[in-house]
Amino acid sequence: MSSRRNFLKNAAIGAVGASTLGSAHIYAQESKKITWRLQTYAGPALAEHVIKPSIDAFNKAANGEMEIELYFADQLVPTGELFRAMQRGTIDAVQSDDDSIAAPVDVSVFGGYFPFASRYSLDIPVLFEKYGLKEIWEEAYGEVEGVTWLGAGAWDPCNFATVKPINSLEDLKGKRIFTFPTAGKFLSRFGVVPVTLPWEDVEVAMQTGELDGIAWSGITEDYTVGWANVTNYFLTNNISGAWCGSYFANEEKWNEVPEHLKTLFRLCMDSSNYYRQHWYWGGEADLRVNGSKLQLTTIPDAEWATVEQEAMKFWDEIAKTSPRCAKVVEIFKQYNALMAKAGTPYRCA
């Protein structure tokens, strides 16, 4: 009996000690929890598709070790200042294209909508994973202090949604269009007047007449974010088959993340990229056929071919800006030549 009492007494003391140690361990874990602030280029309605599901999944799978707070377009920092804010550590991570956030690298011109670099959304991952763009982007951002480029994915095409119909290139002249920096620079060759506004102000600007249209997305986004409610026409010709967007992180904050959480974040990036592939691909076709808000217009192929020819001149001009840009342009040329030779369904005649 004496031995039994001593055993129970020691067990009780041990249990208290284990409980105390356990509580200390939990507290230590909680005190080391990593918290990030990530801002996307997208407004709330669009973010529900292009990033929020993947961030929610990450937070759940991280099991309390890390939490990412998601912020929408211009919510913490204006989109054009995102790169510098991330570099300073004001925010920890960004989802956007290189062009819109004014990334200080020569290849930033290819982010967003570089005219006719892609025809379909699958072109982007193939170019990065099979044709060397991944290594080129890693090299470019490796020269910049304070930021780590994490990877690129494909978004939707770039079409015009306008108040008045576009049936010819002449109809583009003088139109005030909300678009991306490089896309706007290219479209200005056809008389378009590029306009930069905070994302959340675009719908009101359409209603007040400050804008004549948008060349920022495909038809899926026009319906999703409400732009189909303030425009009347959708031009089926596009200047790019897929937007090129990336994920970035503050270098110091990324280096603090343990390897298993880095892997988890990259998997969630892949999940988001995959979702957009089918969401946009299916949505673009369905809304052209079944959408009731926008009337479709088309510029004849022969006339639109002049836009494609002008894009090739634009490519050559960009190639002259740096050896690295020249390398990217050469990859685009080789890739598109191969796709043309492959024929349908890779490229239509």
Side-chain angles (χ1 to χ4, degrees):
M1 290 296 293
S2 176
S3 298
R4 184 181 177 193
R5 281 195 296 268
N6 288 336
F7 172 79
L8 292 172
K9 179 180 178 181
N10 291 334
I13 293 171
V16 171
S19 175
T20 303
L21 288 171
S23 298
H25 177 64
I26 292 170
Y27 177 79
Q29 282 188 315
E30 291 178 346
S31 66
K32 293 180 181 178
K33 177 182 174 181
I34 299 169
T35 302
W36 271 12
R37 299 199 300 176
L38 185 158
Q39 184 169 310
T40 176
Y41 74 100
L46 182 58
E48 285 290 335
H49 292 277
V50 300
I51 190 170
K52 189 175 184 298
S54 64
I55 297 302
D56 288 345
F58 177 89
N59 288 338
K60 183 177 181 180
N63 201 29
E65 293 182 62
M66 182 170 173
E67 182 178 4
I68 298 175
E69 299 171 353
L70 178 62
Y71 295 88
F72 307 128
D74 306 303
Q75 196 170 357
L76 294 179
V77 181
T79 296
E81 300 173 19
L82 274 176
F83 193 92
R84 297 300 184 189
M86 177 172 47
Q87 202 171 31
R88 293 192 303 266
T90 305
I91 55 175
D92 305 300
V94 167
Q95 180 210 36
S96 181
D97 66 284
D98 324 56
D99 196 24
S100 295
I101 63 175
V105 293
D106 48 5
V107 296
S108 66
V109 69
F110 302 111
Y113 291 122
F114 191 70
F116 298 101
S118 64
R119 298 285 176 161
Y120 309 113
S121 57
L122 278 173
D123 290 337
I124 299 297
V126 172
L127 283 162
F128 273 86
E129 299 299 330
K130 301 294 184 183
Y131 281 75
L133 292 197
K134 177 182 177 182
E135 289 73 21
I136 292 173
W137 259 243
E138 288 174 339
E139 176 189 82
Y141 284 98
E143 298 170 1
V144 179
E145 292 289 332
V147 169
T148 298
W149 175 82
L150 299 177
W155 277 245
D156 54 338
C158 183
N159 296 76
F160 284 86
T162 53
V163 175
K164 295 181 179 180
I166 304 295
N167 294 298
S168 68
L169 293 181
E170 184 67 25
D171 293 335
L172 291 175
K173 292 182 179 178
K175 294 293 188 296
R176 295 160 297 179
I177 302 294
F178 173 69
T179 189
F180 291 83
T182 297
K185 183 178 180 181
F186 173 68
L187 290 171
S188 65
R189 298 181 177 214
F190 305 96
V192 168
V193 180
V195 178
T196 302
L197 289 171
W199 191 91
E200 62 182 6
D201 293 345
V202 172
E203 188 170 343
V204 173
M206 291 297 306
Q207 293 170 310
T208 60
E210 186 179 351
L211 288 175
D212 300 303
I214 302 153
W216 202 84
S217 69
I219 199 169
T220 306
E221 284 189 19
D222 291 335
Y223 275 79
T224 300
V225 306
W227 292 341
N229 299 328
V230 292
T231 53
N232 302 313
Y233 299 92
F234 180 84
L235 182 65
T236 59
N237 312 79
N238 64 55
I239 66 161
S240 175
W243 189 65
C244 176
S246 292
Y247 287 83
F248 310 82
N250 174 275
E251 184 177 12
E252 183 178 346
K253 292 297 183 69
W254 178 249
N255 291 339
E256 291 173 356
V257 176
E259 286 301 319
H260 69 288
L261 291 178
K262 286 181 178 177
T263 299
L264 177 61
F265 187 76
R266 290 187 185 278
L267 288 170
C268 287
M269 285 168 46
D270 289 342
S271 172
S272 180
N273 289 337
Y274 169 71
Y275 177 88
R276 285 191 302 275
Q277 287 281 343
H278 63 77
W279 184 59
Y280 283 124
W281 185 253
E284 297 301 302
D286 178 65
L287 288 169
R288 284 191 183 197
V289 175
N290 297 315
S292 60
K293 298 178 180 179
L294 297 175
Q295 182 177 333
L296 305 184
T297 65
T298 301
I299 295 175
D301 290 344
E303 188 175 1
W304 191 249
T306 64
V307 181
E308 297 190 33
Q309 292 163 10
E310 191 65 29
M312 298 305 101
K313 298 177 185 177
F314 186 73
W315 285 20
D316 289 338
E317 292 171 14
I318 297 299
K320 294 176 183 177
T321 60
S322 78
R324 191 155 48 209
C325 285
K327 188 175 180 180
V328 174
V329 168
E330 184 57 31
I331 289 172
F332 285 159
K333 289 181 177 180
Q334 292 176 2
Y335 176 76
N336 279 282
L338 184 142
M339 291 291 114
K341 289 180 180 178
T344 306
Y346 300 95
R347 294 293 185 267
C348 297

